[in-house]
């Protein structure tokens, strides 16, 4: 995460093979096989994780659409909170950047 | 397979010799624990043997050398001086642990602490959660509380209602099957709970009281022969109870959300982290399939009524 996520072209994906996830209402638990740690996820973390489970996605796209995805406005779900949540998921290893992946959609748009 | 016999069939002399020669092994539930005592025969006969006789008389023990054990618990003096002068005792589970030396007459407490330590920290075939377990015909009740929360009193009260004792101190769960594994050692009672349990279970079911221990007064409610006879019979978990005893509290029961129950159970486990994925799967199984309730009560009768009502589906 060398540049700010909201402008980051890098493609991210959930570490699906390395984790187990269980949902209990608004709370989810994720077990990360590599670290052996169990994480408790709130709806925001889960929203980011869910969108990265099957679909590699640019970081900025995930960040941009997070409030909409959880049914909140930017006022209720401010950017620093989204960025912090994204970083926490990255730090735990539950999501990871795909090295050298090319985000063709973003480049074409640019 | 070693030959083993109920302790009641083994002579004092043979038990003492086996304890000093590292040959006494307790076969209870899924564990074989080797017991050792580094004291002279008189001290063992006076301070350790009576507790074994009272609390473990129908439990199987072997006295041969070379028996494969899950772990060893040694009872010894903290140093050579305290073996002879104002003798003291500490449980030594074979790893460094900051145990407070106790006067030798508190050997029963040292032995039970040693057994607890080895189960909590050295057994990795099962998920271990701090909590009592009793079982009826239709499944087991896990009773999870912090020390002083009323776990043991409630366990003893449910025994009195006809429930089988699986364990007072530890909920032991097989990660392969998510079944509750029995390990029926005596129920540890503290302070006011001693008289409370005596009042409904009878004086003959309780060991002599150890006073002025680091935890106050302590006595043990014996596991019954029927509990020990069924020590190889497992139970499916049916209910999780988080009890809180508060003097004069009005009885109250509240359904605990699954996620909340999991968040309470994980820190109560002594080996969750070590078991990794297996432990996680057990916790998720409990959260998914087993209802959990928090109960607050001011008397034994109230706690039993609440559990009865929960099992009868009268509390949602």
């Amino acid at each position: 995460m060398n540049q700010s996520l909201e402008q980051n072209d890098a493609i991210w994906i959930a570490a699906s093979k390395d984790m187990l996830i269980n949902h209990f209402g608004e709370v989810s638990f994720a077990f990360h096989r590599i670290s052996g740690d169990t994480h408790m996820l709130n709806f925001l973390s889960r929203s980011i994780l869910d969108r990265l489970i099957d679909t590699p996605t640019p970081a900025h796209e995930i960040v941009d659409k997070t409030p909409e995805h959880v049914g909140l406005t930017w006022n209720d779900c401010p950017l620093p909170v989204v960025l912090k949540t994204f970083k926490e998921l990255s730090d735990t290893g539950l999501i990871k950047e795909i090295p050298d992946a090319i985000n063709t959609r973003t480049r074409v748009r640019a | 397979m070693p030959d083993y016999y109920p302790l009641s069939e083994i002579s004092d002399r043979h038990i003492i010799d086996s304890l000093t020669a590292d040959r006494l092994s307790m076969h209870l539930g899924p564990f074989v624990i080797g017991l050792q005592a580094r004291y002279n025969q008189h001290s063992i006969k006076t301070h350790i043997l009576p507790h074994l006789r009272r609390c473990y008389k129908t439990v199987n023990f072997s006295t041969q050398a070379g028996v494969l054990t899950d772990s060893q618990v040694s009872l010894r003096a903290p140093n050579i001086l305290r073996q002879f002068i104002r003798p003291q005792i500490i449980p030594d589970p074979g790893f460094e642990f900051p145990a407070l030396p106790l006067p030798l007459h508190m050997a029963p407490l040292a032995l039970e602490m040693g057994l607890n330590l080895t189960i909590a920290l050295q057994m990795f075939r099962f998920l271990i959660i701090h909590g009592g377990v009793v079982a009826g015909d239709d499944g087991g009740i896990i009773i999870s509380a912090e020390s002083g929360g009323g776990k043991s009193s409630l366990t003893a009260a449910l025994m009195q209602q006809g429930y089988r004792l699986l364990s007072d101190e530890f909920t032991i769960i097989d990660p392969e099957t998510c079944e509750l594994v029995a390990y029926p050692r005596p129920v540890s009672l503290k302070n006011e709970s001693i008289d409370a349990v005596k009042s409904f279970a009878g004086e003959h079911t309780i060991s002599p009281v150890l006073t002025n221990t680091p935890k106050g007064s302590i006595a043990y409610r014996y596991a019954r022969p029927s509990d020990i006879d069924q020590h190889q019979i497992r139970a499916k978990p049916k209910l999780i109870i988080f009890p809180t005893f508060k003097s004069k509290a009005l009885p109250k029961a509240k359904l605990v959300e699954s996620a909340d129950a999991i968040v309470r159970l994980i820190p109560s486990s002594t080996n969750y982290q070590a078991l990794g994925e297996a432990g996680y799967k057990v916790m998720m199984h409990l959260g998914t399939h087993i209802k959990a309730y928090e109960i607050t009560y001011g008397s034994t009768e109230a706690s039993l009524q609440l559990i009865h009502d929960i099992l009868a589906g009268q509390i949602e």
Side-chain angles (χ1 to χ4, degrees):
Chain A
M1 286 194 282
N2 293 330
Q3 64 183 115
S4 60
L5 281 169
E6 63 271 39
Q7 297 162 0
N8 196 327
D9 254 5
I11 306 294
W12 287 72
I13 191 161
S16 307
K17 287 181 185 167
D18 299 332
M19 70 177 174
L20 301 171
I21 188 156
N22 293 75
H23 307 298
F24 298 92
E26 283 200 345
V27 178
S28 300
F29 291 90
F31 177 78
H32 188 233
R33 288 189 168 112
I34 295 171
S35 65
D37 289 335
T38 301
H39 304 282
M40 196 163 95
L41 310 178
N42 61 17
F43 70 100
L44 200 56
S45 316
R46 184 172 155 185
S47 156
I48 294 173
L49 197 59
D50 279 352
R51 283 175 290 151
L52 288 173
I53 286 213
D54 297 318
T55 317
T57 309
H60 69 81
E61 195 175 312
I62 288 290
V63 170
D64 284 349
K65 292 188 177 167
T66 291
E68 180 190 332
H69 198 263
V70 295
L72 296 174
T73 63
W74 280 110
N75 279 341
D76 297 325
C77 183
L79 183 62
V81 174
V82 177
L83 294 177
K84 183 171 182 286
T85 305
F86 195 101
K87 183 175 183 310
E88 283 172 355
L89 285 168
S90 167
D91 289 346
T92 57
L94 295 176
I95 61 172
K96 56 191 176 185
E97 188 178 335
I98 304 176
D100 302 326
I102 298 168
N103 178 6
T104 49
R105 281 180 296 169
T106 307
R107 290 186 178 217
V108 169
R109 267 207 318 261
Chain B
M1 193 72 181
D3 294 328
Y4 48 72
Y5 307 94
L7 196 72
S8 57
E9 293 179 17
I10 306 174
S11 70
D12 284 0
R13 182 59 188 261
H14 199 42
I15 293 170
I16 293 168
D17 286 350
S18 302
L19 268 171
T20 53
D22 305 351
R23 292 198 314 260
L24 191 70
S25 301
M26 181 166 74
H27 300 247
L28 182 62
F31 306 122
V32 181
I33 309 288
L35 300 177
Q36 306 162 354
R38 302 276 182 261
Y39 290 94
N40 61 38
Q41 296 209 344
H42 175 74
S43 295
I44 293 174
K45 188 166 189 173
T46 308
H47 299 291
I48 300 172
L49 189 62
H51 179 72
L52 288 173
R53 286 274 187 231
R54 280 191 287 263
C55 292
Y56 296 97
K57 64 183 172 189
T58 64
V59 173
N60 287 323
F61 282 76
S62 56
T63 56
Q64 299 141 269
V67 170
L68 189 62
T69 59
D70 289 280
S71 68
Q72 301 276 329
V73 174
S74 178
L75 297 173
R76 61 173 177 81
N79 54 57
I80 189 81
L81 184 71
R82 290 294 178 216
Q83 194 163 355
F84 304 104
I85 302 170
R86 280 190 287 154
Q88 292 182 330
I89 189 166
I90 55 168
D92 181 353
F95 56 89
E96 196 66 36
F97 193 86
L100 186 70
L102 300 167
L104 184 54
H105 76 272
M106 292 186 189
L109 177 57
L111 173 61
E112 296 302 328
M113 284 169 59
L115 289 169
N116 287 345
L117 280 172
T118 196
I119 299 301
L121 301 174
Q122 293 186 297
M123 302 299 159
F124 301 106
R125 287 184 284 142
F126 304 99
L127 181 72
I128 310 281
I129 299 171
H130 182 231
V133 184
V134 294
D137 293 337
D138 53 354
I141 301 175
I142 298 169
I143 304 161
S144 175
E146 289 177 11
S147 193
K151 164 179 66 70
S152 295
S153 309
L154 183 54
T155 301
L158 287 165
M159 286 169 69
Q160 208 59 29
Q161 296 290 303
Y163 284 86
R164 172 165 73 97
L165 173 70
L166 270 76
S167 175
D168 166 49
E169 201 66 26
F170 298 114
T171 302
I172 302 169
I173 305 178
D174 185 339
E176 298 277 321
T177 61
C178 289
E179 290 174 321
L180 299 163
V181 177
Y183 187 55
R185 284 176 37 224
V187 178
S188 171
L189 304 170
K190 297 179 197 78
N191 304 317
E192 294 82 9
S193 67
I194 298 170
D195 284 338
V197 174
K198 259 185 199 169
S199 69
F200 60 72
E203 195 137 350
H204 64 286
T205 66
I206 312 278
S207 74
V209 180
L210 294 168
T211 54
N212 298 319
T213 79
K215 295 178 176 181
S217 296
I218 287 189
Y220 296 96
R221 196 277 186 232
Y222 309 134
R224 298 158 299 194
S226 59
D227 299 319
I228 291 166
D229 286 349
Q230 299 179 78
H231 71 131
Q232 297 293 3
I233 300 176
R234 298 177 172 197
K236 293 227 177 274
K238 177 186 172 63
L239 180 67
I240 301 167
I241 295 288
F242 298 106
T244 304
F245 172 80
K246 276 188 197 163
S247 183
K248 296 177 184 168
L250 290 174
K252 194 171 71 179
K254 193 179 106 187
L255 185 66
V256 176
E257 298 283 341
S258 299
D260 189 11
I262 292 168
V263 167
R264 293 184 196 204
L265 290 173
I266 288 176
S268 300
S269 170
T270 57
N271 64 357
Y272 174 79
Q273 199 69 26
L275 258 65
E277 187 171 333
Y280 174 83
K281 285 179 172 172
V282 172
M283 286 294 179
M284 295 305 119
H285 175 87
L286 293 177
T288 305
H289 298 288
I290 315 299
K291 280 191 172 179
Y293 288 83
E294 184 179 84
I295 63 171
T296 308
Y297 52 91
S299 70
T300 303
E301 294 75 21
S303 66
L304 292 174
Q305 186 62 48
L306 286 170
I307 289 178
H308 175 270
D309 292 348
I310 289 168
L311 289 172
Q314 291 167 7
I315 297 175
E316 272 304 316

